Amino acid sequence: MIRAVLVCCLVVLPVAADAFEVWDGPPVSYSKAGTDNPNDPAFQDELTTNVRITRGFQGGIYNVAQESFFSQTTSPADTEWAFSGLNGSPSGSAFSATNCANSPGLCDFRNWFDAQGENSMGENLVGRPAVVHLITDDIYLDLTFSEFTNVNLGARVAYERASPSSSVPVPLPAWAVMLIALLIVWVGGRTIRRNT
């Protein structure tokens, strides 16, 4: 019976272990005009329950799930960003969510404003690949801005980002792991009793 429990732990528990995830599913487009209400869910990009990106009538982007407005030092809250070729991050094919996630230190993650590596409010990021790390969810994804205008031009924002991959395994909840472990122990116990 002890052997059955050990086998269960070796086979089932790694499935339940938390690990980072890289989104590589079909691209999702998001856009918001300067006149769109950032508090309206129709103008928020909900990545997870912890992260919903939007932009106000001025300033940069922020996480409306955790903050009410853009802060130059922390927004979007619960995220960190790296941009291709900036702050020591690689460029070209070496720069991707997969590479940044699998090689700690390869990409220089910072808050959105600081990650730009220049005194810019996003205007110089159009077309430059980014990798976003959703900190609490431990998810990495590729994102590229296609539009980011200043306030005088309407404070618009648009980007394309990766979505979750349909092939990403979902970790088993703890109760399911325990149920499987108990089932293995029960079957193992019955087998031992039959053989004696």
Side-chain angles (χ1 to χ4, degrees):
M1 185 168 1
I2 293 173
R3 186 178 299 159
V5 173
L6 289 174
V7 169
C8 170
C9 291
L10 292 173
V11 173
V12 177
L13 292 180
V15 175
D18 290 332
F20 68 81
E21 181 180 335
V22 177
W23 284 2
D24 59 0
V28 171
S29 296
Y30 166 74
S31 64
K32 180 189 169 299
T35 55
D36 296 335
N37 183 351
N39 296 314
D40 184 339
F43 305 113
Q44 301 168 1
D45 181 20
E46 183 170 2
L47 287 85
T48 68
T49 54
N50 295 312
V51 180
R52 290 194 326 266
I53 302 295
T54 193
R55 185 180 184 195
F57 303 114
Q58 60 184 1
I61 58 175
Y62 62 97
N63 178 4
V64 72
Q66 298 189 31
E67 54 193 342
S68 302
F69 52 84
F70 171 71
S71 165
Q72 191 170 321
T73 57
T74 60
S75 293
D78 204 17
T79 69
E80 53 185 6
W81 298 66
F83 288 96
S84 175
L86 296 179
N87 303 314
S89 292
S91 58
S93 61
F95 185 80
S96 69
T98 300
N99 289 346
C100 290
N102 286 312
S103 302
L106 176 69
C107 300
D108 186 355
F109 285 100
R110 304 176 183 201
N111 71 59
W112 178 80
F113 184 82
D114 290 342
Q116 297 175 44
E118 53 200 49
N119 191 16
S120 166
M121 190 58 78
E123 299 92 340
N124 298 324
L125 297 180
V126 173
R128 183 184 295 271
V131 172
V132 185
H133 179 215
L134 311 182
I135 298 169
T136 297
D137 299 294
D138 207 6
I139 295 170
Y140 293 82
L141 60 121
D142 293 306
L143 181 149
T144 303
F145 287 94
S146 55
E147 182 176 25
F148 200 98
T149 60
N150 62 33
V151 176
N152 296 334
L153 297 174
R156 296 186 304 271
V157 61
Y159 59 74
E160 187 172 273
R161 65 163 173 86
S163 65
S165 171
S166 58
S167 64
V168 173
V170 177
L172 291 174
W175 65 265
V177 173
M178 290 304 297
L179 183 63
I180 292 169
L182 290 172
L183 182 61
I184 290 172
V185 170
W186 180 73
V187 169
R190 290 181 52 108
T191 303
I192 290 171
R193 280 194 292 274
R194 282 188 195 152
N195 293 335
T196 57

